[in-house]
Every structure is written in structure tokens, then in C-alpha cells.
Amino acid sequence: MPKTKGKPPKKRISATKFRFGYLVHDVSRTRRTLMDQYMRPLGITRSQWTVMSALSRGDETGLMQVDLARLLDVGKVTVGGLIDRLENTGHVERRPDPGGDRRVKRVFITEQGYEILDKMIDVSEDLNQRILDGITPEELAITEDVLMRVKENIRKETMAAAHRPSNDDG
């Protein structure tokens, strides 16, 4: 590397300042990868179990495809393809919106879908026990509380940022 005359070398920035974000991201990423390995024998992909999980958190009115896309932070076309595959395997079904809008379809988990969801929950509970080994219930409660507060702070900051003028306005 050539030396520049007269200038001291630039000090490298330490990434340790970003340790929290890195750890949150890395734990999430590695857990998803491990979960993939555990779900593979059930014949369900990460994208599919993510959709099934999101649908299971909804209520008895199902979810519209556009809401599911927004919730999962993916495009409507992507979600449409996932729903098509899950519908073809009998895990979900589309039903007309009870509000009468013929363009709107709601997505519901089928009985077969609930069977796979029960297996997914069993696998997830087993995996959570393994990855939380050595973590006390108190430590887990504190961690969950802190993460929920961080999530709320991020939500507030996202809302505030959405109302700020962009830098390219001027």
C-alpha cells in the first residue's frame, strides 16, 4: 500500500460501537438458518414457514395478500407466489372477502396447514430449549423486555422519519 507523504495514516473505525445491532442481526440470521435445518424434514421452506407463522398470528378473518406482504416486508408478487405454493400443497386457501369486494381475497390456514403448524411449533419449542440452554427465566424476561422496548423505539423513530422532509428536496 503506498504511503502518502505528510499525512498520518487514517485511524480505522472500530465496529464494536455497532455491537448491539450486529448481535441482534446475527442471532436472528443464525436462528433462521438453524430453523431451516429443523424445518427441512417437514418439507417446508423458510419463506413458507414465515408466511404460515404470520398467518397464525392473525385472527379468524384471515389476512389480505397485500397486508401479508407489508407484514413480511416483501413484494405483493413474492407473497402471491408463496401463497400459490402453499395453496397447491393444501396448507392455505384463499377465500373471498366478506366485505363484498370481489377483487379482495383473504388467506386462511387450512386443517392440513394447522397440522404442519403444530409440527412447526413442536420443532420450534425444542429448538428454543436448546438455544436458550443456560439462560435463566429472569434473564430471558429481561432480554424480551429490552427487545420489545427497542422495537417500540424503532417504530417511533420510523414514524418520525416518515414525516421528516427528505434531503433531496432542496
Side-chain angles (χ1 to χ4, degrees):
M1 178 177 222
K3 292 185 178 187
T4 53
K5 292 184 179 185
K7 287 188 176 182
K10 192 173 184 179
K11 185 179 179 198
R12 296 183 73 173
I13 297 172
S14 171
T16 57
K17 293 179 182 180
F18 308 111
R19 187 167 183 226
F20 174 79
Y22 167 77
L23 286 172
V24 167
H25 171 76
D26 206 45
V27 166
S28 177
R29 181 188 60 78
T30 55
R31 185 184 182 281
R32 281 191 315 268
T33 300
L34 187 58
M35 189 74 167
D36 281 345
Q37 293 171 1
Y38 274 69
M39 290 296 165
R40 193 169 294 125
L42 300 179
I44 192 159
T45 67
R46 176 186 299 182
S47 299
Q48 291 171 327
W49 60 256
T50 301
V51 168
M52 295 288 291
S53 180
L55 286 170
S56 75
R57 291 184 183 94
D59 58 25
E60 63 278 349
T61 62
L63 281 174
M64 290 188 297
Q65 187 170 311
V66 67
D67 292 334
L68 194 53
R70 196 174 303 117
L71 184 65
L72 299 176
D73 198 25
V74 297
K76 291 183 276 188
V77 173
T78 300
V79 162
L82 287 167
I83 293 169
D84 288 343
R85 286 189 288 286
L86 286 166
E87 198 170 35
N88 289 337
T89 58
H91 294 105
V92 302
E93 64 183 4
R94 291 178 173 105
R95 297 183 203 153
D97 183 58
D101 186 342
R102 289 184 288 174
R103 298 169 298 170
V104 175
K105 300 279 188 208
R106 292 191 169 270
V107 183
F108 293 86
I109 300 174
T110 63
E111 281 305 312
Q112 182 179 333
Y114 278 112
E115 289 172 15
I116 197 79
L117 195 56
D118 284 342
K119 291 177 185 175
M120 288 169 49
I121 290 168
D122 290 343
V123 167
S124 183
E125 285 175 349
D126 179 56
L127 179 58
N128 281 342
Q129 277 187 322
R130 293 169 189 264
I131 65 176
L132 294 173
D133 185 45
I135 311 287
T136 68
E138 294 79 18
E139 290 169 326
L140 182 58
I142 290 167
T143 302
E144 289 173 346
D145 179 61
V146 168
L147 288 173
M148 288 302 290
R149 287 188 279 155
V150 168
K151 182 178 176 178
E152 178 60 17
N153 290 342
I154 290 170
R155 186 196 66 74
K156 287 178 189 173
E157 192 60 30
T158 301
M159 297 294 287
H163 293 87
R164 270 188 221 119
S166 69
N167 289 338
D168 10 327
D169 289 346

